[in-house]
Amino acid sequence: MKIITTKLEGCLLLEPSVYTDQRGYFFESFNKKRFNEETGLQVDFVQDNQSFSSRGVIRGLHAQLGEHAQAKLVRVLEGEVIDVAVDARPGSKTFGEYVAVNLSAENKRQLFVPRGFLHGFAVLSETASFFYKCDNYYQKDAEWGVDLLDKDLAIDWQLAQEEMIISDKDLHLPSFKQAIDRYFNK
């Protein structure tokens, strides 16, 4: 496994060692001992989630507050997405900055999104099956989010605006600045 650091502290891109032959391919998608040793983290994933979406769907930008915060290890089982992590940790050197990486069934890359980050993705292929591990259980009343089209964040979702399929809930989220004021500057 190759670990690539991003510009956001703790947010890591993982490229697995893939073994191919005439039968197809094999790779180890997760090994807790190796992951913890090679990343220097102590992560204990407790929940797996999967979603299936069509081209143009954007899910996010979401996170969980306080003791319910989640770290995630995300990957694509089918198709391709642009995956985005936004540093929402007040006091961080990269607060308000984001990384965007293409994850696909073909490249088999994974992104580790630390606690305190907003997360979202946009489907670039006809369909995509998205899978992620979480180190904490989902708690609906601890969820918060940010407008994924926030002009201050200026995320390039690699889709034309008329292609975007966004849930009603996500269309009515506050800007990054408004959300930070609401949840962290009380």
Side-chain angles (χ1 to χ4, degrees):
M1 172 174 48
K2 180 178 177 185
I3 300 169
I4 302 164
T5 57
T6 70
K7 69 178 184 176
L8 306 180
E9 184 181 347
C11 189
L12 306 171
L13 186 61
L14 288 77
E15 293 181 346
S17 299
V18 181
Y19 305 96
T20 60
D21 63 22
Q22 71 276 11
R23 299 169 296 166
Y25 70 85
F26 170 84
F27 72 97
E28 187 174 76
S29 62
F30 182 73
N31 175 312
K32 181 179 174 179
K33 182 179 177 188
R34 283 189 66 215
F35 178 86
N36 288 350
E37 286 175 359
E38 293 185 28
T39 64
L41 302 170
Q42 292 301 311
V43 179
D44 186 19
F45 294 112
V46 297
Q47 181 176 322
D48 288 349
N49 300 310
Q50 186 170 341
S51 68
F52 180 82
S53 305
S54 59
R55 179 175 174 76
V57 168
I58 303 179
R59 295 183 184 262
L61 296 163
H62 305 139
Q64 297 219 145
L65 291 166
E67 67 186 72
H68 302 292
Q70 294 175 314
K72 298 176 182 175
L73 181 62
V74 303
R75 66 187 179 113
V76 172
L77 303 174
E78 172 191 330
E80 178 183 11
V81 307
I82 180 78
D83 196 64
V84 175
V86 179
D87 188 345
R89 302 171 297 177
S92 167
K93 294 181 292 189
T94 55
F95 177 75
E97 294 182 35
Y98 75 91
V99 293
V101 296
N102 283 70
L103 302 179
S104 69
E106 186 176 321
N107 70 24
K108 298 170 186 49
R109 296 163 116 191
Q110 298 178 73
L111 186 68
F112 177 75
V113 181
R115 288 181 176 203
F117 279 64
L118 291 155
H119 177 254
F121 65 90
V123 179
L124 304 178
S125 52
E126 286 307 307
T127 60
S129 183
F130 191 83
F131 179 84
Y132 55 105
K133 299 180 147 324
C134 299
D135 77 338
N136 204 354
Y137 298 103
Y138 174 76
Q139 185 71 33
K140 184 178 174 107
D141 60 351
E143 185 176 27
W144 69 287
V146 167
D147 178 0
L148 54 90
L149 299 175
D150 183 303
K151 296 203 182 323
D152 290 333
L153 293 177
I155 296 169
D156 178 4
W157 291 103
Q158 299 182 16
L159 294 166
Q161 193 148 0
E162 60 272 8
E163 287 183 281
M164 295 179 177
I165 302 168
I166 304 169
S167 74
D168 286 339
K169 176 180 105 175
D170 289 349
L171 282 173
H172 296 96
L173 290 173
S175 70
F176 183 75
K177 183 181 180 331
Q178 290 168 329
I180 295 303
D181 285 345
R182 180 181 303 164
Y183 295 111
F184 298 100
N185 295 334
K186 295 178 181 181

